[in-house]
Amino acid sequence: MRVLFRSSARLGCVLLRAAGSGGSGFSTGFSTGGGRMMQYRIEERGRAHSPEYRIYFKTASGKYISPFHDIPLFSSEHQENDVPAKKQKRSDSELLFNMVVEVPRWSNAKMEISTKEPLNPIKQDVKKGKLRYVANVFPHKGYIWNYGALPQTWEDPNHTDKDTSCCGDNDPVDVCEIGSQVCSAGQVIQVKVLGVLALIDEGETDWKIIAINTSDPDAPKLNSIEDVRVSRPGQLEATVDWFRKYKIPDGKPENKFAFNGQFKDKDFAIEVIKSTHNYWKALIYKQTKCGEIMCKNRLVGDSEYVVGDEEVEEVVRAAPEYREPLPLPAEVDKWHFLSQ
């Protein structure tokens, strides 16, 4: 077994990666305000850049969990013996959130939490039998932020948003993390919310939260979407441009936005998060139909979907053993130049 350890005190991130014939994994955690470390581990199965590849999540004690349902939304919810503690009371402006990183900045593979599989591992999206990679629309290379999701949120496809007049996209809420560190797929980080963009994707509301890792050197001076606009000229405009054009190389039209593509502020973003958290609660407590969404979980103790160790361990055992990644297809590095 080969073990690599990397610690970054400046960014408050701890990664432990282990690779062997049977699997690969790393632990990821962040320091909380009280100096404690909240940690999760991952287990990779199959081969990266193949349809079989999966990233499963574990608690620090090795219990398999769902990143969709079992990782708390609010980062103040520390865990003792794998049991989430009660939420600490904070004002909305002080709220911090957990983010599950699905796609590292500058990479192209469209990785996402699989909402329709047991344990909701991260996998690469497949469309028409082909693995999905986002195109490099000049001057952008891959994803231009660390991209991921807020756990315990759900954009309800049966609810029409009063502001966008569109229903939800049936997924957790997306996050664009704009910090300086390039994260890893499966990393769980603590973020401060700054604002939100309302993408309308094929007639569905697809919120894009703008946030920054609380361990980032710039985090103390970025507290609003206006702070981003002032201290990072062009970053918000590039974000709108990226979302508007990224599907054009696949033969699709430009994406549309609510609010004329304008970012809404932090207060608005937190209200979006709270409402989608409530939709998730309705989902996990059987107050709404789940459809194809897999709601089985380990730690939402009063949910009827809680399952035991044996059932979830069988899920992981059934997945292919970890093997070295396949090479990326050559076309992933291609530039796409669009006429104005």
Side-chain angles (χ1 to χ4, degrees):
M1 175 177 285
R2 179 169 59 91
V3 178
L4 302 176
F5 180 78
R6 178 163 65 90
S7 175
S8 172
R10 184 171 67 87
L11 292 173
C13 173
V14 176
L15 295 178
L16 174 66
R17 180 174 288 277
S21 59
S24 171
F26 65 73
S27 65
T28 174
F30 54 78
S31 295
T32 63
R36 300 168 64 186
M37 184 68 74
M38 187 176 187
Q39 286 194 332
Y40 297 96
R41 297 158 55 191
I42 68 163
E43 182 173 328
E44 298 173 272
R45 308 287 289 195
R47 305 184 74 176
H49 316 308
S50 79
E52 66 181 19
Y53 181 66
R54 298 291 184 274
I55 301 174
Y56 290 96
F57 285 71
K58 300 178 180 180
T59 62
S61 64
K63 178 183 289 186
Y64 290 109
I65 59 170
S66 160
F68 186 7
H69 304 304
D70 292 318
I71 294 175
L73 169 62
F74 300 96
S75 69
S76 57
E77 295 181 42
H78 309 311
Q79 293 188 190
E80 295 286 352
N81 299 320
D82 299 338
V83 177
K86 290 185 177 179
K87 231 176 17 204
Q88 298 176 1
K89 287 190 175 180
R90 292 173 178 254
S91 68
D92 281 359
S93 63
E94 298 174 311
L95 285 175
L96 301 175
F97 300 91
N98 288 328
M99 171 187 172
V100 178
V101 177
E102 298 167 312
V103 186
R105 189 172 80 227
W106 308 140
S107 64
N108 298 73
K110 192 177 187 304
M111 308 297 293
E112 60 186 17
I113 291 173
S114 179
T115 60
K116 299 175 184 178
E117 292 185 23
L119 285 177
N120 312 115
I122 291 178
K123 70 169 188 176
Q124 189 169 353
D125 190 27
V126 175
K127 200 157 198 175
K128 297 182 179 178
K130 293 184 64 176
L131 292 169
R132 290 187 68 187
Y133 296 91
V134 298
N136 302 308
V137 178
F138 188 83
H140 307 304
K141 169 64 177 80
Y143 286 77
I144 61 174
W145 349 254
N146 294 305
Y147 192 70
L150 294 178
Q152 296 188 341
T153 62
W154 179 54
E155 297 190 49
D156 187 352
N158 301 306
H159 171 78
T160 301
D161 185 86
K162 63 181 177 62
D163 293 306
T164 67
S165 300
C166 295
C167 60
D169 72 349
N170 205 30
D171 284 323
V173 173
D174 296 323
V175 188
C176 302
E177 191 280 313
I178 63 172
S180 55
Q181 180 196 15
V182 177
C183 293
S184 301
Q187 199 170 334
V188 179
I189 61 175
Q190 184 186 54
V191 297
K192 180 199 303 187
V193 167
L194 305 172
V196 65
L197 180 68
L199 177 68
I200 305 302
D201 189 355
E202 298 182 11
E204 298 175 333
T205 304
D206 192 1
W207 297 107
K208 306 297 180 184
I209 299 293
I210 307 302
I212 189 166
N213 190 335
T214 57
S215 296
D216 193 272
D218 285 344
K221 66 182 182 183
L222 294 179
N223 296 293
S224 69
I225 203 71
E226 283 307 309
D227 288 344
V228 179
R229 197 180 306 280
V230 170
S231 66
R232 296 185 168 195
Q235 187 165 40
L236 296 179
E237 292 79 2
T239 294
V240 173
D241 185 67
W242 193 96
F243 279 117
R244 177 178 285 120
K245 297 177 179 176
Y246 83 101
K247 289 187 177 181
I248 293 178
D250 296 327
K252 294 187 176 181
E254 289 187 353
N255 274 323
K256 306 297 183 184
F257 303 89
F259 313 115
N260 294 316
Q262 298 300 306
F263 288 84
K264 305 299 284 186
D265 65 16
K266 177 175 186 171
D267 291 340
F268 190 101
I270 288 176
E271 287 306 310
V272 167
I273 294 169
K274 286 181 173 180
S275 66
T276 55
H277 183 51
N278 286 331
Y279 299 143
W280 170 82
K281 286 181 179 178
L283 183 73
I284 209 73
Y285 293 121
K286 291 189 172 181
Q287 295 167 2
T288 189
K289 292 182 179 179
C290 63
E292 294 183 287
I293 298 288
M294 184 61 69
C295 294
K296 291 180 180 180
N297 65 84
R298 306 302 313 284
L299 302 177
V300 189
D302 47 354
S303 165
E304 294 181 37
Y305 291 111
V306 173
V307 294
D309 291 344
E310 185 175 345
E311 182 172 343
V312 296
E313 288 171 4
E314 179 58 34
V315 169
V316 181
R317 283 196 299 267
E321 292 286 336
Y322 172 79
R323 292 189 292 159
E324 289 300 312
L326 292 169
L328 279 168
E331 61 266 23
V332 170
D333 290 328
K334 178 182 177 181
W335 282 119
H336 294 265
F337 297 88
L338 305 181
S339 58
Q340 299 298 317

